[in-house]
Amino acid sequence: MSDQRGSIGGRIASARKLRGLTQGQLAERVPCSKSLIAQVERGHKPATQALVAGVARALRVGVGELTGQPYGDESRRADRVHAAVPDIRRALLGWDLPDEEIRPRAFDALAADVERASALGRQARYGRLGEMLPGLLEELTAAVHGADHPERLYALLAEAYTGATAIAYTLGYFDLRSLAMERVDWAARASDDPLRIARTQWQRSTLFLANASYDKGGRLLARIRHELGEDVARMDAPTVSVYGAAHLRSAIFAARTPNAAGAWAHIGEAWECARLLGEDANHYGLEFGPSNVAIHEVAVAVELYDGAEAVRRAGLIRLPDTVAPVRLGHYYIDLARGFLYNGNRTKSLEALQTARRAAPQQTRNHPMVRETVRMLVDLERRRPKALSGFASWVGMP
């Protein structure tokens, strides 16, 4: 068994002992079984995102204290993303202090750049996105403060701020993520676009997910659906996308509770929305459609710790080439966990390698990737060269 001091389980044990709690006392606060805490701390079982969030809340520590994020990285290529963070932070802090020396370009030119930034986010190319965002945010800030009717410019700014939330989430800069979300909300409300505001509230729900506030997050998503209306058949395509995406996020919340029946019920509602939509779409950057619903089926099974069901449902999926790399990365990271829970270590590593090909920066910085790799390393008596290479690429000793 490997040294657990640098693992999520090792960090949970250290944080628990620092607060003078037994494994049983921590389990009561999460809540979960004492045996789960013991197995995760000893490295016998992988930590799930739900457990990490629950322990962080119970111990009153940040999620990053348990995952070790943001991860250090010796690779200059990977450091491109981290290097952009200070400039992104400064741009977010200056939301009401536009640079008077900036002369913003015309709306169409700004819209084209925002579209390019969104495309980089879909492709999970966070290095290039990080280099692009600070200047774009500064220019959009100057534009909205200098315009007589800035609503459309605020919509562009909200979309650009969303790129900052994606980078902060991927790298594990949780304070930056919260700051960026505040800016997204401010700009979305100023855009006077009800659907953009609803999409922003959907985005806000991720903060409740990360902090194990499942009841409040679920209520927020229910409110979004209620405000959009109950008659899905009468909604236009963008509204269906937002409504369906709220059901998908609700399914993850229910699975984390855990409430399997509720989770699968939300998946069923999302399928109805996808059927009405008829095809994959990307309204407001939500990537909603049949492919994303199928991807979430696997995610729900993994959240429920049901590896057999995750693998079974994955076997029914045929994802088109048009699925965004950022979604493919999440899918194969989840599938790797599903194979691990189902006892198929070879397929688990293959799924991780596929995630790497689809979205390398996302895969390299995802805490569940490291947790899966750590378990694979511990379980393999003769460590395959491919596994050693992958662990080295991720940055694990």
Side-chain angles (χ1 to χ4, degrees), residues 123-327:
Q123 296 159 9
R125 299 171 68 179
Y126 297 117
R128 289 187 59 186
L129 177 60
E131 291 171 346
M132 181 181 186
L133 272 181
L136 181 58
L137 290 173
E138 292 281 7
E139 188 175 6
L140 285 167
T141 299
V144 298
H145 285 285
D148 293 330
H149 300 286
E151 291 82 8
R152 290 198 305 160
L153 287 166
Y154 273 115
L156 293 182
L157 184 56
E159 189 65 27
Y161 279 144
T162 295
T165 69
I167 288 175
Y169 171 75
T170 299
L171 299 183
Y173 289 94
F174 298 106
D175 63 325
L176 181 64
R177 184 184 180 192
S178 296
L179 175 62
M181 271 306 311
E182 290 178 6
R183 300 295 178 262
V184 173
D185 184 64
W186 165 72
R189 292 183 186 281
S191 75
D192 286 339
D193 182 345
L195 277 184
R196 184 167 293 281
I197 294 170
R199 186 254 194 255
T200 300
Q201 291 303 298
W202 170 89
Q203 195 173 353
R204 175 190 170 200
S205 70
T206 61
L207 301 178
F208 291 105
L209 198 64
N211 288 281
S213 298
Y214 303 133
D215 178 61
K216 289 185 178 179
R219 285 162 51 194
L220 173 63
L221 290 163
R223 186 173 73 190
I224 292 170
R225 296 194 303 272
H226 176 73
E227 290 177 351
L228 290 175
E230 301 299 330
D231 191 352
V232 184
R234 293 190 176 185
M235 295 179 183
D236 61 15
T239 305
V240 170
S241 288
V242 178
Y243 189 87
H247 270 299
L248 289 182
R249 182 60 54 76
S250 295
I252 300 299
F253 271 93
R256 292 266 185 104
T257 305
N259 175 2
W264 293 120
H266 283 297
I267 289 293
E269 294 290 345
W271 270 121
E272 287 301 313
C273 294
R275 278 190 277 271
L276 281 172
L277 200 59
E279 61 183 2
D280 292 339
N282 191 33
H283 301 117
Y284 293 91
L286 288 169
E287 305 287 348
F288 185 76
S291 295
N292 207 1
V293 179
I295 286 170
H296 273 74
E297 285 191 345
V298 174
V300 164
V302 169
E303 293 289 351
L304 292 168
Y305 248 130
D306 192 342
E309 184 65 10
V311 171
R312 185 189 74 79
R313 289 187 181 251
L316 303 175
I317 296 176
R318 296 294 180 269
L319 295 176
D321 295 337
T322 53
V323 173
V326 69
R327 292 304 318 150

